[in-house]
Amino acid sequence: MGYVAVTGGQEAIDASIELLRDYRSRGDVPVDLTALRDRMGLLIDRIMSEAGLYAPDYAALALKQCEGSPEEAVFLLRAYRSTLQRNYTSCTVDGSQMHLRRRISSAFKDIPGGQQLGATYDYVHRLLDFSLEQENEEEVQSWKEQFRAETEETQALSDQAPRVLDLLRQEGLLEQVEEDTSEPCDITMEKLPLPAPRSAILQTLTRADTGFVSGLAYSDIRGFGMSHPTIGELRYGWLDIEVDSPVEEGERIYVGAVDITEVEGLMGSRPGSSGIGVGYGCVMGRNDTKAIAMAVLDHALTLKDTGPTSDMEFVLLHGDCLEMNGFISHLKLPHYVTFQSKLDGLRNQKRSMGHDEEK
């Protein structure tokens, strides 16, 4: 779970916790958990992805508890997750079975099933909308009813569609990759092995801090690596989750659905290869940027000696927001002895230099 910095007497700690509650309760308008869950969806999705727990209600509760700090919310959600009993293991899901709400490709103009822009900020003007200050809830609900009625009538695209990259696979234009049938590594139950199998790499990246993953991918694209991606397909929607029936052998039971963003990125051909490289990204909720960045790093980690983003230890061990923020936070612990030792060494060095100059 990472480092936790705690220092001080019990009385001082109790007072600090009370002061924290005062900070959290500032203002006269209480924070409604339902509003957090439903209208801060992108933040909720990020928290769930980095925590590795799909629980919108609990993610909203964690955000309220920690004043909106994503790092603290992830910490709370992971801590809660560690107390839960595992009753079942879900069956493998296939992204091609996703119930689509967004699907685009920057590699092809015309794709089977058509492009579907979905909900995205890619096409909006980045201007503050001051009308939201006087937003009326009755007007919002009235607009929603009208919008849903119109979209049901004009829905043209199918709910599901084939993968775009399957067209290239059929032509043999993609790098050939051997199918991995080994048991997936579960990084929540065992220490991350190095070198890590791909199952562990993908788990680590999808739980890593969004900013860290995006920054590393950006550095790789700018020239500190060799990935130059084109989005073969980006899709967002939900996948049905099933478990094996404990009663009827061979039967499955539907237990719910999880929102997913999935990306297959075309990374160009590596030296000596006859096919185009592919990077894969998959995260909980709506998070195009992280899924794309994850695909870039997934590909970069298959390359050798091309830059920092190909260093598996560097990429996988520094992106976890709990470990990252926890280690930085631990610097608040007392370091009196070690720092005084540094000062003593520096003083002795200066005295020795002064003594030499006198000679």
Side-chain angles (χ1 to χ4, degrees):
M1 295 299 290
Y3 290 83
V4 180
V6 177
T7 180
Q10 187 62 49
E11 187 175 333
I13 290 174
D14 291 340
S16 175
I17 293 174
E18 288 297 309
L19 186 59
L20 189 63
R21 184 177 180 182
D22 176 66
Y23 275 60
R24 190 168 58 232
S25 60
R26 287 180 173 179
D28 301 323
V29 181
V31 177
D32 183 73
L33 289 180
T34 304
L36 268 179
R37 181 197 65 196
D38 297 340
R39 302 200 176 176
M40 295 288 141
L42 296 180
L43 182 56
I44 294 294
D45 288 348
R46 173 180 174 177
I47 299 305
M48 293 191 300
S49 177
E50 295 179 14
L53 177 64
Y54 194 85
D57 290 328
Y58 293 149
L61 177 60
L63 278 170
K64 179 177 180 179
Q65 182 176 336
C66 66
E67 302 178 74
S69 167
E71 297 84 6
E72 284 293 328
V74 170
F75 203 143
L76 289 171
L77 215 54
R78 280 205 201 171
Y80 175 70
R81 182 184 186 275
S82 69
T83 68
L84 301 177
Q85 184 177 355
R86 293 192 179 187
N87 296 318
Y88 299 96
T89 299
S90 62
C91 302
T92 303
V93 294
D94 186 345
S96 63
Q97 301 302 311
M98 184 183 296
H99 301 278
L100 296 172
R101 288 298 172 265
R102 170 164 161 77
R103 176 175 179 258
I104 63 169
S105 171
S106 61
F108 303 97
K109 178 180 179 181
D110 298 314
I111 56 178
Q115 305 257 11
Q116 186 174 356
L117 299 186
T120 176
Y121 286 95
D122 292 345
Y123 312 105
V124 302
H125 297 294
R126 263 65 177 204
L127 300 173
L128 280 176
D129 185 357
F130 292 100
S131 67
L132 295 177
E133 293 180 323
Q134 284 80 40
E135 188 176 53
N136 182 286
E137 191 61 26
E138 292 182 2
E139 294 177 357
V140 171
Q141 295 304 324
S142 175
W143 176 87
K144 284 178 64 176
E145 291 179 6
Q146 180 181 355
F147 172 76
R148 288 174 176 173
E150 292 175 352
T151 52
E152 287 178 1
E153 294 176 359
T154 59
Q155 184 70 29
L157 293 172
S158 60
D159 185 52
Q160 297 181 356
R163 290 185 181 277
V164 174
L165 265 62
D166 284 346
L167 300 174
L168 300 182
R169 291 189 177 95
Q170 293 170 7
E171 293 188 60
L173 297 178
L174 301 183
E175 283 186 346
Q176 297 297 316
V177 180
E178 294 184 9
E179 184 178 2
D180 185 358
T181 58
S182 61
E183 188 72 16
C185 175
D186 186 351
I187 64 170
T188 68
M189 302 295 289
E190 55 188 281
K191 184 179 179 180
L192 176 68
L194 288 174
R198 191 154 181 261
S199 60
I201 291 174
L202 294 178
Q203 287 177 66
T204 302
L205 290 176
T206 198
R207 287 170 25 119
D209 181 81
T210 299
F212 178 86
V213 173
S214 301
L216 277 186
Y218 178 50
S219 73
D220 188 86
I221 297 169
R222 280 196 67 242
F224 289 87
M226 294 185 62
S227 297
H228 302 282
T230 302
I231 305 304
E233 183 176 11
L234 182 153
R235 52 171 59 197
Y236 162 74
W238 76 86
L239 285 168
D240 296 326
I241 306 300
E242 299 177 327
V243 298
D244 292 324
S245 171
V247 179
E248 297 290 337
E249 186 175 352
E251 295 292 323
R252 292 182 174 183
I253 301 174
Y254 171 80
V255 295
V258 174
D259 288 347
I260 293 292
T261 300
E262 184 185 53
V263 168
E264 285 187 301
L266 302 170
M267 303 297 172
S269 301
R270 70 184 75 204
S273 173
S274 59
I276 300 172
V278 177
Y280 180 77
C282 183
V283 299
M284 291 181 184
R286 292 164 53 207
N287 198 334
D288 292 0
T289 300
K290 184 176 182 181
I292 295 170
M294 180 179 169
V296 171
L297 295 182
D298 172 49
H299 178 259
L301 287 171
T302 66
L303 306 176
K304 305 297 182 184
D305 301 325
T306 60
T309 52
S310 295
D311 187 322
M312 188 174 294
E313 182 175 353
F314 175 72
V315 172
L316 298 184
L317 294 187
H318 297 99
D320 188 285
C321 70
L322 262 66
E323 298 287 348
M324 175 172 46
N325 290 285
F327 191 88
I328 293 173
S329 180
H330 105 282
L331 298 175
K332 293 180 284 187
L333 287 168
H335 288 74
Y336 312 136
V337 175
T338 54
F339 184 67
Q340 289 301 320
S341 176
K342 291 180 181 179
L343 290 180
D344 289 343
L346 181 58
R347 289 179 182 127
N348 290 336
Q349 181 181 358
K350 291 180 73 68
R351 280 196 292 266
S352 177
M353 292 173 60
H355 183 68
D356 291 340
E357 290 176 358
E358 291 177 0
K359 289 183 176 180

